[in-house]
Amino acid sequence: MIKLENISFDHCIKCTVCTIYCPVARATHHFPGPKQSGPDMERLRIKSPGLLDDSLKYCTNCKRCEIACPSNVKIADLIQSSKWRYFRKAFRVRDFFLARTDLMGGVATRASFLVNFFIKLFPVKFFLDRFMKIPSERRFPRYAQGTFRAWYKKHRKEQEAFAEKAVYFHGCYVNYNNHDLGKDVVTVLNAMNVGVIVTDEKCCGVPLIANGYIDKARKNALFNIESLARSASESGARIVSASSSCSFALKHEYPNLLELDNSAIFDGLDYITRFIHERFEKGNVPAMGPVPVRAAYHSPCHLERMGGVMNTIEVLKKIPGLELTILHSECCGIAGTYGFKKEYYKVAQKVGDELFKRIERANPEIVITDCETCKWQIEMSTPYRVEHPVTVLARAIDGKKL
Amino acid sequence: MRYDCVIIGGGLSGLTCGIRLAEKGARCAVISTGMSALHFSSGSIDLFGNEGEGKIVFRPFEYLEKFIGSNPLHPYARCGSSRVREALFYFRDQLDLEDIDLYNNDDANHFHVTTLGTLKPTFFSQRSVFNEKIRLAFEKKSKIAALNFEGYRDFYPELAVINLKRNVLFRNIEISSGKILYPDYGDPQRNPFEYRSIDIARIFDTERYLEDLAAQIRTAAGDAAFAAMPAFLGITNFKRHHQLLQQLTGLLIYEIPTLPPSILGMRIDNALKSRFAALGGVYIAGDTVRGGTIAGGRLESVFTENGGSSALYAGSFVLASGSFFSGGLVSEFSRVREPVFGLRVYSHAERSKWHAQEFFPRNGHPFLEFGVETDERFNPLTDDGQRLGNLYCTGALLPHYNPIREGSGGGVAVSTGYRAAELILAGNR
């Protein structure tokens, strides 16, 4: 029996506009494009899972097809969910570890010096490439020593003293790799008289979804919805996240893909630049010194899908001295764990090629983007350093060097 | 978020309006649910092509002068014919800045060939579709070769040739059809039947295969002076590739619009978006306006699906959300409604009168003339009769014109979008 609510593929009028805007279809002929892999094949898959065409594995879930679709078909959701609905679940060590960002981070941050050292060694790279199918060209993000949460614990008291507070979903990257970004969030929000509350959280689920660990993703999602909702209602605060993909998952992937009710957090949850920009508009602008830097801004796919790009741009425009070029919207290609897989690495780099060229032409000193994996991809593939918009804002506030 | 003007709909009309406003320094945002109908268009801009009953209009501006007097509710009448002219040539100049040359036969219409090989009168075409040289070669009755890639399923040259030969204009012209093969780029996984216009456009855009393709075109065209090909000669830099291909083949290469996705339409879409962005406009893609707050005869703000509780405020708003196809109008069993604000709609109470009996009626279907009722300033009324003085309705959403019968869709979109911008600018002065 076909569930009537699951026939959004039937709204597809076969116009092929999604395929035009699919960065993967542009990069490789091995991917037939979102129309064929999504709504077209869905009819066949419903009839018989035996008719599954495994070329849909090439989809990166960037959601550009959904932005382009004039008929509101949830094309990427159809493709992503097929990955676990129809594929035989074979255990892959690599995918298991890539998907468990919090497990890996928890271990690595205990001896980050060693991990960061070993991961760059040739024999390790060779092993990862040959046996784990993680390409040796891929550069890994550095692990930090200790966790952001441990740092926050020492500052909890002063944060709770603020009259207005925001619940901050920091995500795995801030907790295990980049404490500084978390501290910058605290600097910026504090300067706007907002205290930062950190509550219990698990990985948002983006890498789990991408690697087909859907039960685990649902478990994490339920935990996060419950924990964030409780903390927000206790303190009467809004919820913010400074990772565009975490925010996108919490807000849209939970209900649309994981089919979970996230109404308890949906309205209260903002990607951080929306939260900041709304306060800027009401006159709550902190004192800022000049940041005389030539920067190019890259808008991540998931932030585009959420409609949050304009907030980031408006916030950046408020920073004195910042010379900003807005790059034409292109996908960087990494798509989270996708670019860490040998079978997709070349496609990922080809997808990103257009963006890399455009960055080159813009001739900036730094690149600004909201997404941590876009940052890894751009820093690996171009000579430019990449910073988060909140970091740039924090430097304008605290006057330290960017 | 606050703007001077928020435009709902990112198609031909919304973007023309946005470009005019942004050029004059207004802070504008365009919100668009998915890509616009330009992706399904011929890429030519029609002004007025048919009088009805199959009679062709040759000089559209002259025709409009009379037409407007007897059709006071028509969107052109509400703009005024001199403003229609101003709008169209403004549009041409804006595209020129984005390196798209539009050809117009002075004040007269010209014809473009359709996928099926029929002729359609239109006012502006890209120069790969019509230009002075093509006209000259045509007048000299030069031989034409209609070519296609083997396996491409969205154009059938044999069919186009049969239809063209039925036309008086082509009576004494020799037309052949022929095939060329996709370049071999070492990718055996893809069946040629799967290629759509966009895949082929990308082959041209790489420029790597131009020489090989030119040699093939040369052979397939035989002794023809023209090669008519489906419009897929690239998107980025297509002008250069078109010129190169003409040089390499020594032929006039002529583009025929294909089934969607329309490369010709996409070039215009790209150019308009790029122009709008260059003027500082904000284009919000993939979001849908769900409603707005109305107070004292004014629309104060709109809220969107993604924005949730945070609304977009503006001094003026433009609704350019298109007709039924784009979701600007919605038909239910017994009524037609405007889904965003529930504005008052012109339609017919009796469903059986919405459409003609034939599928391709000579005078078009009546439902094409339905739309949001406005006053002469393009301000609509809410369902309870309140006039919204700062909301302007433009483009395919408007009633009292029939884009199919008249051949006027593009011109109405451009001129009403431009007119709304002028009204907004005058109001702010």
Side-chain angles (χ1 to χ4, degrees), chain B residues 304-321:
Chain B
T304 69
E305 202 162 275
N306 285 336
S309 53
S310 60
L312 294 162
Y313 294 84
S316 333
F317 294 86
V318 175
L319 187 63
S321 48

Side-chain angles (χ1 to χ4, degrees), chain B residues 392-409:
Chain B
Y392 299 82
C393 296
T394 72
L397 180 73
L398 293 170
H400 309 302
Y401 81 106
N402 193 317
I404 303 293
R405 182 183 67 223
E406 298 167 356
S408 61

Side-chain angles (χ1 to χ4, degrees), chain B residues 148-149 152 197 200-201 204 229-234 255 258 263 267:
Chain B
N148 192 22
F149 278 108
Y152 178 64
S197 54
I200 302 171
F204 280 98
M229 294 179 66
F232 44 39
L233 302 181
E255 283 190 303
T258 65
I263 301 299
R267 287 178 199 148

Side-chain angles (χ1 to χ4, degrees), chain B residues 279-297:
Chain B
L279 293 166
V282 177
Y283 192 92
I284 304 165
D287 202 358
T288 304
V289 175
R290 285 292 174 214
T293 325
I294 292 165

Side-chain angles (χ1 to χ4, degrees), chain A residues 13-17 19-22 25-26 28-33 35-36 66-72 74 238 251-252 266-267 270 274 277-278 281 304-307 310-311 314 317, chain B residues 1-3 27 32-35 39-40 185 187 189-190 194-196 198-199 202-203 235 260-261 266 269-270 273 280 282 284-288 290 305-310 312 325-326:
Chain A
I13 59 162
K14 311 295 163 204
C15 69
T16 319
V17 162
T19 301
I20 296 174
Y21 292 95
C22 172
R26 187 173 68 182
T28 171
H29 282 110
H30 295 261
F31 183 51
K35 178 180 81 83
Q36 201 172 323
E66 295 183 4
I67 294 176
C69 179
S71 310
N72 230 336
K74 298 282 174 273
R238 294 189 70 80
K251 218 167 161 122
H252 299 286
F266 186 88
D267 269 336
D270 286 321
R274 184 194 289 276
H277 182 231
E278 268 180 15
E281 283 208 312
E304 298 232 350
R305 180 72 186 95
M306 271 194 295
M310 59 196 173
N311 292 301
E314 291 302 321
K317 280 184 183 167
Chain B
M1 187 84 69
R2 180 168 285 284
Y3 293 95
R27 265 172 50 83
S32 176
T33 311
M35 294 299 163
H39 292 73
F40 315 100
Y185 46 95
D187 195 347
Q189 290 221 353
R190 198 91 185 262
E194 289 176 18
Y195 285 90
R196 306 296 299 266
I198 182 68
D199 302 299
R202 281 176 187 149
I203 296 174
I235 294 184
M266 282 181 66
D269 176 82
N270 285 352
K273 280 182 187 151
V282 177
I284 304 165
D287 202 358
T288 304
R290 285 292 174 214
E305 202 162 275
N306 285 336
S309 53
S310 60
L312 294 162
F325 179 75
S326 302

Side-chain angles (χ1 to χ4, degrees), chain A residues 101-339:
Chain A
T101 46
D102 43 2
L103 177 74
M104 293 299 289
V107 176
T109 46
R110 283 167 209 272
S112 60
F113 171 74
L114 286 175
V115 174
N116 293 335
F117 175 75
F118 274 109
I119 203 101
K120 282 190 192 154
L121 294 181
F122 176 74
V124 176
K125 277 182 172 283
F126 181 81
F127 170 81
L128 287 175
D129 188 297
R130 188 56 66 85
F131 299 103
M132 298 279 277
K133 304 287 178 219
I134 294 175
S136 55
E137 299 93 328
R138 169 58 63 192
R139 208 191 294 160
F140 276 80
R142 292 176 61 82
Y143 280 104
Q145 186 65 30
T147 64
F148 171 73
R149 298 182 72 85
W151 175 87
Y152 176 79
K153 244 182 218 166
K154 288 179 252 162
H155 299 266
R156 181 185 291 276
K157 276 253 164 61
E158 57 197 72
Q159 292 304 317
E160 282 172 343
F162 281 86
E164 192 193 349
K165 290 182 270 280
V167 177
Y168 171 42
F169 183 92
H170 51 70
C172 302
Y173 173 64
V174 162
N175 201 29
Y176 305 118
N177 304 87
N178 190 353
H179 302 169
D180 287 344
L181 175 55
K183 293 175 193 169
D184 291 337
V185 168
V186 174
T187 304
V188 171
L189 293 186
N190 284 180
M192 298 166 73
N193 295 313
V194 178
V196 176
I197 300 293
V198 169
T199 183
D200 291 337
E201 63 172 65
K202 287 190 185 326
C203 165
C204 67
V206 166
L208 293 163
I209 292 167
N211 290 286
Y213 294 97
I214 219 65
D215 296 332
K216 173 86 171 124
R218 284 213 173 94
K219 238 193 224 165
N220 282 14
L222 286 171
F223 181 91
N224 288 333
I225 294 170
E226 203 273 327
S227 171
L228 291 170
R230 181 161 30 80
S231 178
S233 70
E234 273 168 15
S235 52
R238 294 189 70 80
I239 307 160
V240 296
S241 157
S243 159
S244 45
S245 286
C246 292
S247 318
F248 181 73
L250 291 164
K251 218 167 161 122
H252 299 286
E253 299 276 52
Y254 286 7
N256 294 339
L257 200 53
L258 301 181
E259 292 165 349
L260 298 172
D261 175 14
N262 72 341
S263 55
I265 58 168
F266 186 88
D267 269 336
L269 182 86
D270 286 321
Y271 173 66
I272 193 148
T273 53
R274 184 194 289 276
F275 180 91
I276 294 172
H277 182 231
E278 268 180 15
R279 270 146 193 82
F280 275 18
E281 283 208 312
K282 287 183 189 137
N284 182 2
V285 186
M288 285 187 272
V291 182
V293 170
R294 210 168 56 249
Y297 173 67
H298 159 65
S299 50
C301 300
H302 285 169
L303 191 62
E304 298 232 350
R305 180 72 186 95
M306 271 194 295
V309 172
M310 59 196 173
N311 292 301
T312 298
I313 293 174
E314 291 302 321
V315 165
L316 289 174
K317 280 184 183 167
K318 290 278 189 318
I319 299 173
L322 188 70
E323 211 182 297
L324 194 64
T325 307
I326 314 287
L327 296 166
H328 184 271
S329 164
E330 297 283 348
C331 177
C332 76
I334 192 171
T337 55
Y338 187 91

